[in-house]
Short mmCIF file of all heavy atoms in Angstrom, two decimals:
data_model
loop_
_atom_site.label_atom_id
_atom_site.label_comp_id
_atom_site.label_asym_id
_atom_site.label_seq_id
_atom_site.Cartn_x
_atom_site.Cartn_y
_atom_site.Cartn_z
N ARG T 41 -26.45 5.93 10.80
CA ARG T 41 -26.71 4.61 11.35
C ARG T 41 -26.57 4.58 12.87
O ARG T 41 -26.96 3.59 13.51
CB ARG T 41 -25.74 3.59 10.73
CG ARG T 41 -25.93 3.35 9.25
CD ARG T 41 -24.90 2.35 8.73
NE ARG T 41 -25.03 1.07 9.40
CZ ARG T 41 -25.84 0.09 9.02
NH1 ARG T 41 -26.61 0.27 7.96
NH2 ARG T 41 -25.89 -1.05 9.67
N LEU T 42 -26.01 5.62 13.47
CA LEU T 42 -25.76 5.62 14.91
C LEU T 42 -27.01 5.43 15.77
O LEU T 42 -26.92 4.80 16.83
CB LEU T 42 -25.04 6.92 15.31
CG LEU T 42 -23.57 7.01 14.85
CD1 LEU T 42 -22.98 8.35 15.28
CD2 LEU T 42 -22.75 5.85 15.40
N PRO T 43 -28.19 5.95 15.36
CA PRO T 43 -29.38 5.69 16.19
C PRO T 43 -29.71 4.20 16.35
O PRO T 43 -30.40 3.83 17.29
CB PRO T 43 -30.49 6.43 15.43
CG PRO T 43 -29.78 7.53 14.71
CD PRO T 43 -28.47 6.93 14.30
N ARG T 44 -29.19 3.35 15.43
CA ARG T 44 -29.45 1.92 15.55
C ARG T 44 -28.29 1.18 16.22
O ARG T 44 -28.21 -0.05 16.15
CB ARG T 44 -29.69 1.31 14.15
CG ARG T 44 -30.86 1.92 13.43
CD ARG T 44 -31.44 0.98 12.38
NE ARG T 44 -30.46 0.48 11.44
CZ ARG T 44 -30.06 1.12 10.35
NH1 ARG T 44 -30.54 2.33 10.10
NH2 ARG T 44 -29.19 0.60 9.53
N TRP T 45 -27.39 1.91 16.87
CA TRP T 45 -26.22 1.30 17.48
C TRP T 45 -26.60 0.26 18.54
O TRP T 45 -25.85 -0.69 18.80
CB TRP T 45 -25.33 2.37 18.10
CG TRP T 45 -24.05 1.84 18.67
CD1 TRP T 45 -23.76 1.59 19.98
CD2 TRP T 45 -22.89 1.46 17.92
NE1 TRP T 45 -22.49 1.08 20.12
CE2 TRP T 45 -21.93 1.00 18.85
CE3 TRP T 45 -22.56 1.48 16.56
CZ2 TRP T 45 -20.66 0.55 18.47
CZ3 TRP T 45 -21.30 1.04 16.18
CH2 TRP T 45 -20.37 0.57 17.12
N SER T 46 -27.75 0.44 19.17
CA SER T 46 -28.18 -0.51 20.21
C SER T 46 -28.46 -1.89 19.65
O SER T 46 -28.48 -2.87 20.40
CB SER T 46 -29.43 0.02 20.93
OG SER T 46 -30.48 0.23 20.00
N ALA T 47 -28.66 -1.99 18.33
CA ALA T 47 -28.88 -3.30 17.70
C ALA T 47 -27.53 -3.89 17.32
O ALA T 47 -26.84 -3.37 16.44
CB ALA T 47 -29.75 -3.13 16.45
N PRO T 48 -27.11 -5.00 17.97
CA PRO T 48 -25.78 -5.56 17.72
C PRO T 48 -25.53 -5.91 16.26
O PRO T 48 -24.40 -5.77 15.77
CB PRO T 48 -25.76 -6.83 18.60
CG PRO T 48 -26.76 -6.56 19.66
CD PRO T 48 -27.84 -5.74 19.01
N GLU T 49 -26.58 -6.34 15.53
CA GLU T 49 -26.38 -6.74 14.14
C GLU T 49 -26.08 -5.55 13.23
O GLU T 49 -25.60 -5.73 12.10
CB GLU T 49 -27.62 -7.48 13.62
CG GLU T 49 -28.87 -6.63 13.47
CD GLU T 49 -29.68 -6.52 14.76
OE1 GLU T 49 -29.19 -6.99 15.81
OE2 GLU T 49 -30.79 -5.94 14.71
N SER T 50 -26.35 -4.33 13.72
CA SER T 50 -26.10 -3.15 12.90
C SER T 50 -24.69 -2.60 13.07
O SER T 50 -24.21 -1.84 12.22
CB SER T 50 -27.13 -2.06 13.26
OG SER T 50 -26.91 -0.89 12.50
N ARG T 51 -24.01 -2.98 14.14
CA ARG T 51 -22.73 -2.37 14.48
C ARG T 51 -21.60 -2.69 13.49
O ARG T 51 -20.82 -1.78 13.15
CB ARG T 51 -22.32 -2.78 15.90
CG ARG T 51 -23.26 -2.24 16.95
CD ARG T 51 -22.96 -2.83 18.32
NE ARG T 51 -24.00 -2.48 19.28
CZ ARG T 51 -24.10 -3.02 20.48
NH1 ARG T 51 -23.22 -3.94 20.87
NH2 ARG T 51 -25.06 -2.65 21.30
N PRO T 52 -21.43 -3.95 13.03
CA PRO T 52 -20.30 -4.23 12.13
C PRO T 52 -20.30 -3.35 10.88
O PRO T 52 -19.23 -2.83 10.49
CB PRO T 52 -20.48 -5.71 11.78
CG PRO T 52 -21.21 -6.29 12.95
CD PRO T 52 -22.15 -5.20 13.38
N PHE T 53 -21.46 -3.18 10.26
CA PHE T 53 -21.49 -2.37 9.04
C PHE T 53 -21.21 -0.91 9.35
O PHE T 53 -20.51 -0.23 8.58
CB PHE T 53 -22.85 -2.52 8.33
CG PHE T 53 -22.81 -2.04 6.91
CD1 PHE T 53 -22.48 -2.92 5.89
CD2 PHE T 53 -23.09 -0.72 6.59
CE1 PHE T 53 -22.43 -2.48 4.57
CE2 PHE T 53 -23.05 -0.28 5.28
CZ PHE T 53 -22.72 -1.16 4.26
N THR T 54 -21.74 -0.41 10.46
CA THR T 54 -21.50 0.98 10.84
C THR T 54 -20.01 1.24 11.05
O THR T 54 -19.45 2.22 10.55
CB THR T 54 -22.28 1.33 12.13
OG1 THR T 54 -23.67 1.08 11.92
CG2 THR T 54 -22.07 2.79 12.50
N VAL T 55 -19.36 0.35 11.79
CA VAL T 55 -17.92 0.49 12.03
C VAL T 55 -17.16 0.33 10.73
O VAL T 55 -16.19 1.05 10.46
CB VAL T 55 -17.44 -0.53 13.08
CG1 VAL T 55 -15.93 -0.46 13.24
CG2 VAL T 55 -18.13 -0.28 14.41
N GLY T 56 -17.58 -0.62 9.89
CA GLY T 56 -16.91 -0.85 8.62
C GLY T 56 -16.94 0.38 7.72
O GLY T 56 -15.92 0.75 7.12
N ILE T 57 -18.10 1.03 7.64
CA ILE T 57 -18.22 2.24 6.83
C ILE T 57 -17.33 3.35 7.38
O ILE T 57 -16.66 4.09 6.63
CB ILE T 57 -19.69 2.71 6.77
CG1 ILE T 57 -20.51 1.75 5.89
CG2 ILE T 57 -19.80 4.12 6.24
CD1 ILE T 57 -20.18 1.82 4.43
N ALA T 58 -17.29 3.49 8.71
CA ALA T 58 -16.44 4.51 9.33
C ALA T 58 -14.97 4.23 9.04
O ALA T 58 -14.18 5.17 8.80
CB ALA T 58 -16.68 4.55 10.84
N LEU T 59 -14.57 2.97 9.02
CA LEU T 59 -13.18 2.61 8.72
C LEU T 59 -12.83 2.89 7.26
O LEU T 59 -11.69 3.24 6.94
CB LEU T 59 -12.93 1.15 9.07
CG LEU T 59 -12.87 0.83 10.56
CD1 LEU T 59 -12.81 -0.67 10.79
CD2 LEU T 59 -11.68 1.52 11.22
N LEU T 60 -13.80 2.73 6.37
CA LEU T 60 -13.56 3.10 4.97
C LEU T 60 -13.29 4.61 4.87
O LEU T 60 -12.44 5.04 4.08
CB LEU T 60 -14.78 2.73 4.11
CG LEU T 60 -14.98 1.25 3.80
CD1 LEU T 60 -16.25 1.06 2.96
CD2 LEU T 60 -13.78 0.65 3.10
N ALA T 61 -14.00 5.39 5.67
CA ALA T 61 -13.75 6.84 5.69
C ALA T 61 -12.34 7.12 6.18
O ALA T 61 -11.63 7.97 5.63
CB ALA T 61 -14.78 7.53 6.57
N LEU T 62 -11.92 6.40 7.22
CA LEU T 62 -10.57 6.58 7.75
C LEU T 62 -9.53 6.24 6.69
O LEU T 62 -8.54 6.97 6.52
CB LEU T 62 -10.37 5.71 8.98
CG LEU T 62 -8.96 5.73 9.61
CD1 LEU T 62 -8.59 7.13 10.06
CD2 LEU T 62 -8.88 4.74 10.77
N TRP T 63 -9.74 5.14 5.96
CA TRP T 63 -8.80 4.78 4.89
C TRP T 63 -8.71 5.89 3.86
O TRP T 63 -7.62 6.28 3.44
CB TRP T 63 -9.23 3.48 4.22
CG TRP T 63 -8.30 3.10 3.10
CD1 TRP T 63 -7.19 2.31 3.18
CD2 TRP T 63 -8.37 3.54 1.73
NE1 TRP T 63 -6.57 2.23 1.96
CE2 TRP T 63 -7.26 2.97 1.05
CE3 TRP T 63 -9.25 4.34 1.02
CZ2 TRP T 63 -7.03 3.19 -0.30
CZ3 TRP T 63 -9.01 4.57 -0.33
CH2 TRP T 63 -7.91 3.99 -0.98
N ALA T 64 -9.87 6.39 3.42
CA ALA T 64 -9.89 7.41 2.38
C ALA T 64 -9.16 8.68 2.83
O ALA T 64 -8.44 9.31 2.05
CB ALA T 64 -11.33 7.74 1.99
N ILE T 65 -9.32 9.04 4.11
CA ILE T 65 -8.63 10.23 4.62
C ILE T 65 -7.12 10.01 4.64
O ILE T 65 -6.34 10.85 4.17
CB ILE T 65 -9.15 10.58 6.03
CG1 ILE T 65 -10.61 11.04 5.96
CG2 ILE T 65 -8.28 11.67 6.67
CD1 ILE T 65 -11.26 11.21 7.31
N LEU T 66 -6.70 8.87 5.20
CA LEU T 66 -5.27 8.61 5.34
C LEU T 66 -4.58 8.41 3.99
O LEU T 66 -3.38 8.68 3.86
CB LEU T 66 -5.05 7.37 6.22
CG LEU T 66 -5.36 7.55 7.70
CD1 LEU T 66 -5.20 6.22 8.43
CD2 LEU T 66 -4.47 8.61 8.33
N ARG T 67 -5.31 7.92 2.99
CA ARG T 67 -4.72 7.68 1.68
C ARG T 67 -4.87 8.86 0.73
O ARG T 67 -4.37 8.80 -0.40
CB ARG T 67 -5.35 6.43 1.05
CG ARG T 67 -4.83 5.12 1.63
CD ARG T 67 -3.33 5.01 1.48
NE ARG T 67 -2.82 3.70 1.87
CZ ARG T 67 -1.55 3.39 1.93
NH1 ARG T 67 -0.65 4.30 1.62
NH2 ARG T 67 -1.15 2.18 2.30
N THR T 68 -5.54 9.91 1.16
CA THR T 68 -5.56 11.13 0.35
C THR T 68 -4.13 11.65 0.26
O THR T 68 -3.48 11.86 1.29
CB THR T 68 -6.46 12.19 0.99
OG1 THR T 68 -7.80 11.69 1.08
CG2 THR T 68 -6.46 13.47 0.16
N PRO T 69 -3.57 11.82 -0.95
CA PRO T 69 -2.15 12.16 -1.08
C PRO T 69 -1.68 13.31 -0.18
O PRO T 69 -0.65 13.21 0.48
CB PRO T 69 -2.03 12.52 -2.57
CG PRO T 69 -3.06 11.67 -3.22
CD PRO T 69 -4.22 11.63 -2.26
N ALA T 70 -2.44 14.41 -0.14
CA ALA T 70 -2.01 15.57 0.66
C ALA T 70 -1.99 15.22 2.14
O ALA T 70 -1.06 15.60 2.87
CB ALA T 70 -2.93 16.75 0.41
N VAL T 71 -3.00 14.50 2.60
CA VAL T 71 -3.06 14.10 4.01
C VAL T 71 -1.96 13.11 4.33
O VAL T 71 -1.31 13.18 5.38
CB VAL T 71 -4.44 13.51 4.35
CG1 VAL T 71 -4.48 13.01 5.79
CG2 VAL T 71 -5.54 14.55 4.13
N ASN T 72 -1.74 12.16 3.41
CA ASN T 72 -0.71 11.14 3.64
C ASN T 72 0.68 11.76 3.76
O ASN T 72 1.48 11.37 4.62
CB ASN T 72 -0.75 10.12 2.51
CG ASN T 72 0.10 8.91 2.79
OD1 ASN T 72 1.21 8.77 2.28
ND2 ASN T 72 -0.40 8.02 3.63
N ARG T 73 0.96 12.74 2.90
CA ARG T 73 2.26 13.42 2.97
C ARG T 73 2.42 14.15 4.31
O ARG T 73 3.47 14.08 4.95
CB ARG T 73 2.41 14.39 1.81
CG ARG T 73 2.69 13.73 0.47
CD ARG T 73 3.13 14.76 -0.56
NE ARG T 73 2.11 15.77 -0.79
CZ ARG T 73 1.18 15.68 -1.73
NH1 ARG T 73 1.13 14.61 -2.51
NH2 ARG T 73 0.29 16.65 -1.89
N SER T 74 1.37 14.84 4.72
CA SER T 74 1.44 15.57 5.99
C SER T 74 1.59 14.62 7.17
O SER T 74 2.34 14.88 8.11
CB SER T 74 0.17 16.42 6.17
OG SER T 74 0.06 17.39 5.15
N ALA T 75 0.89 13.47 7.11
CA ALA T 75 0.97 12.49 8.19
C ALA T 75 2.38 11.91 8.28
O ALA T 75 2.92 11.70 9.38
CB ALA T 75 -0.05 11.38 7.98
N ASN T 76 2.99 11.64 7.13
CA ASN T 76 4.36 11.12 7.13
C ASN T 76 5.35 12.13 7.70
O ASN T 76 6.31 11.76 8.37
CB ASN T 76 4.77 10.73 5.71
CG ASN T 76 4.25 9.36 5.31
OD1 ASN T 76 4.15 8.47 6.14
ND2 ASN T 76 3.91 9.21 4.04
N GLU T 77 5.10 13.42 7.45
CA GLU T 77 5.99 14.46 7.98
C GLU T 77 5.90 14.56 9.50
O GLU T 77 6.84 15.03 10.15
CB GLU T 77 5.64 15.81 7.35
CG GLU T 77 6.00 15.88 5.86
CD GLU T 77 5.51 17.16 5.23
OE1 GLU T 77 4.88 17.97 5.95
OE2 GLU T 77 5.75 17.37 4.02
N LEU T 78 4.78 14.11 10.07
CA LEU T 78 4.60 14.19 11.52
C LEU T 78 5.16 12.98 12.25
O LEU T 78 5.19 12.97 13.49
CB LEU T 78 3.10 14.33 11.85
CG LEU T 78 2.44 15.63 11.42
CD1 LEU T 78 0.95 15.59 11.68
CD2 LEU T 78 3.07 16.82 12.14
N THR T 79 5.60 11.95 11.51
CA THR T 79 6.14 10.76 12.14
C THR T 79 7.55 11.04 12.64
O THR T 79 8.15 12.07 12.34
CB THR T 79 6.16 9.58 11.16
OG1 THR T 79 6.86 9.96 9.98
CG2 THR T 79 4.75 9.16 10.79
N LEU T 80 8.08 10.08 13.39
CA LEU T 80 9.39 10.28 14.00
C LEU T 80 10.47 10.44 12.94
O LEU T 80 10.38 9.87 11.85
CB LEU T 80 9.72 9.08 14.89
CG LEU T 80 8.80 8.90 16.10
CD1 LEU T 80 9.21 7.67 16.89
CD2 LEU T 80 8.85 10.13 16.99
N PRO T 81 11.52 11.20 13.21
CA PRO T 81 12.58 11.45 12.22
C PRO T 81 13.45 10.22 12.00
O PRO T 81 13.38 9.24 12.72
CB PRO T 81 13.38 12.58 12.87
CG PRO T 81 13.16 12.40 14.34
CD PRO T 81 11.75 11.91 14.47
N GLY T 82 14.31 10.32 11.00
CA GLY T 82 15.29 9.27 10.75
C GLY T 82 14.71 8.03 10.10
O GLY T 82 15.31 6.96 10.13
N GLY T 83 13.52 8.14 9.50
CA GLY T 83 12.94 6.99 8.82
C GLY T 83 12.10 6.11 9.72
O GLY T 83 11.39 5.23 9.23
N HIS T 84 12.14 6.31 11.03
CA HIS T 84 11.36 5.49 11.94
C HIS T 84 9.87 5.77 11.76
O HIS T 84 9.42 6.91 11.70
CB HIS T 84 11.76 5.76 13.39
CG HIS T 84 13.18 5.34 13.68
ND1 HIS T 84 13.54 4.02 13.85
CD2 HIS T 84 14.31 6.06 13.79
CE1 HIS T 84 14.85 3.95 14.09
NE2 HIS T 84 15.33 5.17 14.05
#
Side-chain angles (χ1 to χ4, degrees):
R41 294 179 60 87
L42 289 179
R44 300 204 306 276
W45 184 259
S46 59
E49 68 274 7
S50 179
R51 295 171 189 169
F53 196 89
T54 303
V55 175
I57 288 291
L59 288 172
L60 286 179
L62 177 60
W63 179 91
I65 293 171
L66 290 176
R67 283 302 187 185
T68 300
V71 176
N72 191 258
R73 286 193 299 269
S74 298
N76 278 326
E77 290 174 359
L78 293 175
T79 55
L80 295 179
H84 295 284

